[in-house]
């Protein structure tokens, strides 16, 4: 929350924007995003497709440059041109474990390569370190000399995580690491992230398009909508009292195993507007059930709302009861 | 139900699923191609030992004879043994075919990889040069170059190398552009690996198969070029035995002693067939999908 970067922040993103296109058609993939990650904290970043989650992940990991704003690791600004040491601090886990591993390298060479390049351990210790990494992600040493093609999706994702961990990063950016996996496998990978946090004190930015996935994993959740964070809160606060109508709709759309919920109408309608031609005022107003005329004039900023550390970018934050959607639907 | 349970168990465990890769020797076209080309190479290498006669030895008394006990495939118009010339011709044609592919393969692939990986102005410069070479018909350019450089083995190598690197460049560039977007390449870059290492270890091995497959058909092309040059009188200088010049020399007797022209032609076709089969088999064997 503080504007001065504290020592405890493993990563902080300050007012980052990313624009694509020429003067006529500017697409604002990110429009002033600020976020910080404390040491050992897992922050979930959720939002629908096109909200800018993956762009933010790429900028943080150094895969692409931002148009403006700063990314700080350990309080030091890091740009797009990073040296090996700066790359080492922030590692990324990709969405699709079927394309994120080089099909021509065995697991051992994949892991040993980064260990060698970054000189993480002495040369004669590489084998030992490789097995330690395998243990860390719950894979057997006997798998070391196999090729990625011989593994299942979940196993591949474990290998990808081991590769990211090999350089002993401080921050892991995981871009929808479970959305390409079977539901039964998703849970085991989520467990792995949980245990890595407690064993290594790793900070994780965990991206998902589904609140249910991150609910039991993360400490805080940031909700993105059209290139902006519209609500940030500790996970319990967010689920107990979501302040932004978009978050409320997202929570309402999480499927639950209760027959009563089947009657609930879709909580959110329509597609997000084009990020090239943003609506005036609040960018959610065309889809918002509570939109007033002021919503079409004023672009709300993230302001404290309700519980401590709870921020929301809605003019009526605090005034809109989370149950109001369900209540109006039920009375209708 | 039990199948589902087994599947789930195998996915959970730390052991890789035991899917065996099909070994190379079970690849039919590869094996057939290797056998054909192997026999051709063996015959070429052993030519000095197995040829019944010196291919340059003229005997005008016995010119233009049909197959017989002493000359199994007859003699040409200078009385030289056709079988011996065929065997020695293989040495020349195969050697030039393989060597003339090597330089363009290496140079073209490296330039294509650099163009595709870095993009931007490097890509523009390299590809405009490629376009210039592409604008001319292959044979025209080779013939013009050989004409300028003078006939002989070395200028044939040079002419083919100067012309055919562009194909490798184009093929590899396209493959690299696709591979560059793959997440494993991004992962390697974000892992802090240097560009050259990413190119050599992560991009290269996944794109080189296309170039290797193409090289096999390119050898055939090169042999065709040599044969054509020989036929046009721009190739290997006589009296060296070479398939192209043999065909060219034999054409005036095509109605009476047809085998003199047809036999070297068949040799070209068989070699081409073998190389095509190898290229086909290698394509299967080297594609990364095989390891998926």
């Amino acid at each position: 929350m503080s504007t001065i970067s504290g020592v405890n922040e493993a990563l902080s993103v300050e007012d980052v924007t990313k624009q694509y296109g020429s003067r006529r058609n500017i697409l604002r993939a990110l429009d002033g995003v600020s976020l910080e990650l404390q040491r050992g904290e897992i922050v979930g970043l959720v939002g629908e497709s096109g909200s800018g989650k993956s762009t933010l992940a790429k900028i943080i990991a150094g895969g692409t440059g931002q148009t403006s704003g700063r990314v700080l690791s350990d309080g030091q600004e890091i740009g797009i041109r990073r040296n090996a040491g700066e790359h080492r601090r922030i590692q990324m886990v990709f969405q699709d474990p079927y394309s994120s591993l080089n099909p021509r390298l065995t697991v051992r060479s994949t892991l040993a390569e980064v260990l060698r390049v970054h000189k993480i351990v002495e040369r004669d210790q590489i084998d030992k370190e490789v097995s330690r990494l395998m243990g860390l992600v719950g894979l057997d040493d006997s798998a070391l000399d196999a090729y990625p093609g011989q593994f299942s999706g979940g196993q591949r994702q474990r290998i990808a995580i081991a590769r990211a961990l090999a350089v002993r990063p401080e921050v892991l950016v995981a871009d929808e690491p479970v959305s390409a996996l079977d539901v039964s496998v998703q849970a085991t990978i989520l467990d792995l992230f949980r245990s890595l946090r407690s064993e290594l004190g790793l900070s994780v930015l965990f991206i998902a398009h589904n609140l249910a996935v991150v609910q039991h994993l993360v400490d805080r959740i940031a909700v993105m909508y059209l290139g902006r964070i519209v609500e940030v809160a500790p996970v319990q606060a967010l689920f107990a009292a979501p302040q932004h109508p978009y978050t409320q709709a997202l929570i309402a759309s999480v499927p639950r195993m209760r027959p009563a919920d089947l009657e609930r109408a879709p909580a959110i309608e329509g597609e997000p507007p084009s990020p090239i031609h943003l609506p005036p005022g609040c960018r959610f107003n065309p889809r918002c059930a509570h939109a007033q005329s002021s919503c079409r004039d004023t672009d709300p900023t993230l302001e404290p709302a309700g519980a401590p550390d709870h921020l929301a970018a809605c003019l009526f934050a605090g005034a809109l009861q989370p149950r109001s959607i369900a209540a109006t639907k039920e009375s209708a | 139900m039990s199948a589902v349970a087994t599947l789930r168990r195998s996915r959970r465990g730390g052991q890789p699923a035991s899917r065996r890769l099909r070994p190379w020797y079970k690849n039919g076209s590869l094996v057939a191609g290797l056998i054909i080309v192997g026999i051709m190479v063996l015959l070429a290498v052993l030519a000095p030992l197995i040829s019944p006669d010196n291919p340059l030895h003229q005997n005008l008394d016995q010119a233009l004879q049909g197959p017989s006990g002493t000359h199994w495939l007859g003699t040409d118009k200078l009385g030289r043994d056709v079988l011996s010339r065929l065997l020695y011709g293989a040495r020349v044609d195969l050697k030039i075919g393989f060597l003339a592919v090597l330089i363009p393969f290496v140079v073209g692939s490296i330039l294509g990889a650099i163009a595709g990986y870095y993009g931007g102005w490097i890509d523009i410069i390299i590809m405009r040069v490629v376009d210039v070479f592409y604008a001319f018909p292959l044979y025209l350019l080779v013939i013009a170059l050989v004409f300028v450089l003078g006939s002989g083995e070395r200028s044939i190598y040079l002419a083919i190398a100067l012309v055919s690197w562009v194909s490798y460049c184009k093929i590899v560039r396209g493959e690299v552009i696709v591979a560059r977007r793959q997440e494993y390449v991004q992962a390697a870059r974000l892992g802090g690996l240097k560009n050259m290492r990413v190119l050599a270890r992560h991009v290269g091995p996944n794109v080189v198969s296309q170039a290797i497959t193409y090289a096999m058909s390119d050898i055939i092309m090169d042999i065709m070029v040599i044969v054509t040059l020989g036929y046009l009188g721009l190739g290997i200088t006589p009296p060296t035995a070479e398939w192209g010049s043999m065909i060219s020399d034999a054409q005036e007797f095509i109605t009476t002693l047809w085998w003199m022209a047809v036999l070297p032609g068949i040799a070209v076709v068989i070699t081409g067939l073998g190389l095509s089969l190898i290229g086909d088999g290698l394509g299967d064997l080297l594609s990364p999908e095989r390891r998926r």
Side-chain angles (χ1 to χ4, degrees), chain B residues 245-254 257-262:
Chain B
S245 44
M246 287 174 72
I247 297 173
S248 147
D249 288 345
Q251 66 173 333
E252 50 191 299
F253 313 107
I254 191 83
L257 306 168
W258 53 268
W259 60 86
M260 275 172 57
V262 168

Side-chain angles (χ1 to χ4, degrees), chain A residues 3 13 28 45 75 81 91 126 146 175 197 228 259 272 278 325:
Chain A
T3 46
V13 173
R28 288 190 178 80
L45 189 62
R81 292 202 166 272
Q91 283 293 301
I126 283 177
D175 188 2
R197 186 254 300 265
R228 254 196 212 165
L278 287 170
I325 297 178

Side-chain angles (χ1 to χ4, degrees), chain B residues 232-243:
Chain B
L232 293 172
L234 284 169
I236 307 300
T237 37
T240 309
E242 189 270 322
W243 294 341

Side-chain angles (χ1 to χ4, degrees), chain A residues 46-48 209-212 223 225 230-231 238-239 241-256 264-270 284 287-290 320-326 329:
Chain A
V46 295
E48 59 201 318
H209 56 243
N210 182 346
L211 271 173
V223 179
Y225 184 74
V230 294
E231 185 160 5
L238 190 100
F239 276 91
Q243 296 299 317
H244 196 283
Y246 180 65
T247 315
Q248 294 172 0
L250 277 186
I251 292 173
S253 69
V254 171
R256 285 190 187 78
R264 184 156 39 194
I268 190 162
E269 279 163 20
F284 188 58
R287 296 166 85 189
C288 181
H290 311 281
L320 304 171
Q321 283 309 304
R323 308 204 187 284
S324 62
I325 297 178
K329 289 275 159 36

